[in-house]
């Protein structure tokens, strides 16, 4: 395990004795493949402290300067994770994709360590169910979710689509004429279409919150929430 700690790299590039165990607001990312590395870099860009862990020393060598800390360690080894202080993190992400056994063991290790917010990547529904059983609080299906999102964009008139649950979504679409000309509070879009308009962007302006007094005009881009079928049907009005 001493070898793992000797491989710690990062912006601080401190010696092992200088490695600071995490407090709140830090994220451990286990597995720095394409998904994990992209996620780790996005979190860094948002100002989070990130500990990246991967079994491949070459990956750590490559990404060490980009992350707050990086360590070459076996994510399936609970002792290795314990010595890195992963159990003290408030959030952790298992980005391991191709090795299902390693993904499951890493998730189980995080659960055993008491990490309160565990996100795990799954390659399919069955894999996701197993991850939930061993302790994942959130399961991410990147390929499935991206395919579903693109399918909605290709087949409909939406500019963007995000499904939050099995039957609830948020979309970006052009405002249909059916809701224009009167304040939203008078248009009764919620009772007529079963949706809520929560944001609006006029040409040349930034997005802003929609209120009961907001009047939607042709060419406006709007953000709409509601049941998936309801928002799909509403988008077809544009």
């Amino acid at each position: 395990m001493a070898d793992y700690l000797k491989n710690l790299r990062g912006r601080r590039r401190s010696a092992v004795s200088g490695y600071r165990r995490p407090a709140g607001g830090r994220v451990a990312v286990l597995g720095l493949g394409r998904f994990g590395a992209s996620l780790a870099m996005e979190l860094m860009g948002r100002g989070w402290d990130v500990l990246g862990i991967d079994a491949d020393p070459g990956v750590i060598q490559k990404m060490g300067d980009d992350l707050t800390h990086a360590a070459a360690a076996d994510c399936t080894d609970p002792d290795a994770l314990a010595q890195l202080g992963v159990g003290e993190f408030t959030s952790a992400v298992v980005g391991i994709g191709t090795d299902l056994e390693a993904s499951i063991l890493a998730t189980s290790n995080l659960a055993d360590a008491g990490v309160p917010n565990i996100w795990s990547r799954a390659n399919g529904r069955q894999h996701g169910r197993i991850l939930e059983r061993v302790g994942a609080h959130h399961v991410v299906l990147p390929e499935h979710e991206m395919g579903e999102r693109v399918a909605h964009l290709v087949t409909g008139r939406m500019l963007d689509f995000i499904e939050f649950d099995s039957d609830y979504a948020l979309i970006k679409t052009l405002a249909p004429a059916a809701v224009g000309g009167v304040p939203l509070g008078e248009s009764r879009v919620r009772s007529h279409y079963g949706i809520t308009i929560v944001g609006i962007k006029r040409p040349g302006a930034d997005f802003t919150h929609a209120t009961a007094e907001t009047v939607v005009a042709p060419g406006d881009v709007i953000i709409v929430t509601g049941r998936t079928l309801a928002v799909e049907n509403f988008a077809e009005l544009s």
Side-chain angles (χ1 to χ4, degrees):
M1 186 57 207
D3 291 336
Y4 295 137
L5 295 177
K6 288 179 182 178
N7 282 320
L8 281 173
R9 299 177 182 272
R11 290 183 174 177
R12 296 175 180 83
R13 303 186 67 83
S14 56
V16 173
S17 60
Y19 175 66
R20 298 192 304 171
R21 287 184 179 272
R26 298 184 183 182
V27 182
V29 179
L30 283 62
L32 296 174
R34 185 165 55 183
F35 173 80
S38 175
L39 172 67
M41 293 304 299
E42 180 66 22
L43 289 168
M44 288 293 297
R46 293 172 179 265
W48 287 69
D49 284 350
V50 178
L51 168 62
I53 306 172
D54 197 277
D56 186 347
V59 171
I60 298 304
Q61 180 70 35
K62 180 180 179 180
M63 294 198 64
D65 290 335
D66 298 322
L67 304 179
T68 311
H69 293 289
D74 181 359
C75 298
T76 68
D77 181 353
D79 291 334
L81 298 182
Q83 291 194 40
L84 290 171
V86 171
E88 299 173 30
F89 279 79
T90 55
S91 297
V93 180
V94 178
I96 301 169
T98 56
D99 190 335
L100 300 189
E101 182 180 1
S103 166
I104 293 165
L105 287 172
T107 300
S108 178
N109 288 339
L110 293 174
D112 289 343
V115 177
N117 193 22
I118 302 169
W119 295 74
S120 295
R121 174 189 176 182
N123 287 341
R125 297 291 188 187
Q126 184 176 8
H127 182 200
R129 285 192 290 270
I130 294 172
L131 292 172
E132 288 176 339
R133 288 171 187 163
V134 299
H137 303 107
H138 311 277
V139 171
V140 181
L141 292 143
E143 289 82 6
H144 173 82
E145 290 166 0
M146 181 55 69
E148 183 179 52
R149 181 181 182 189
V150 172
H152 277 87
L153 302 182
V154 169
T155 60
R157 298 187 180 184
M158 290 167 270
L159 304 175
D160 207 347
F161 172 91
I162 300 174
E163 192 164 41
F164 293 101
D165 207 340
S166 59
D167 190 31
Y168 196 85
L170 179 147
I171 68 167
K172 180 168 72 172
T173 187
L174 291 175
V179 299
V182 297
L184 290 177
E186 300 177 16
S187 65
R188 298 181 181 178
V189 292
R190 188 174 301 177
S191 59
H192 287 171
Y193 305 106
I195 58 89
T196 301
I197 297 175
V198 296
I200 182 171
K201 184 182 187 301
R202 302 193 188 285
D206 295 329
F207 268 106
T208 185
H209 293 293
T211 68
E213 290 73 36
T214 299
V215 178
V216 178
D220 290 345
V221 175
I222 55 176
I223 302 298
V224 179
T225 65
R227 296 290 183 185
T228 302
L229 181 59
V231 297
E232 289 174 343
N233 290 337
F234 182 77
E236 291 302 313
L237 298 174
S238 60

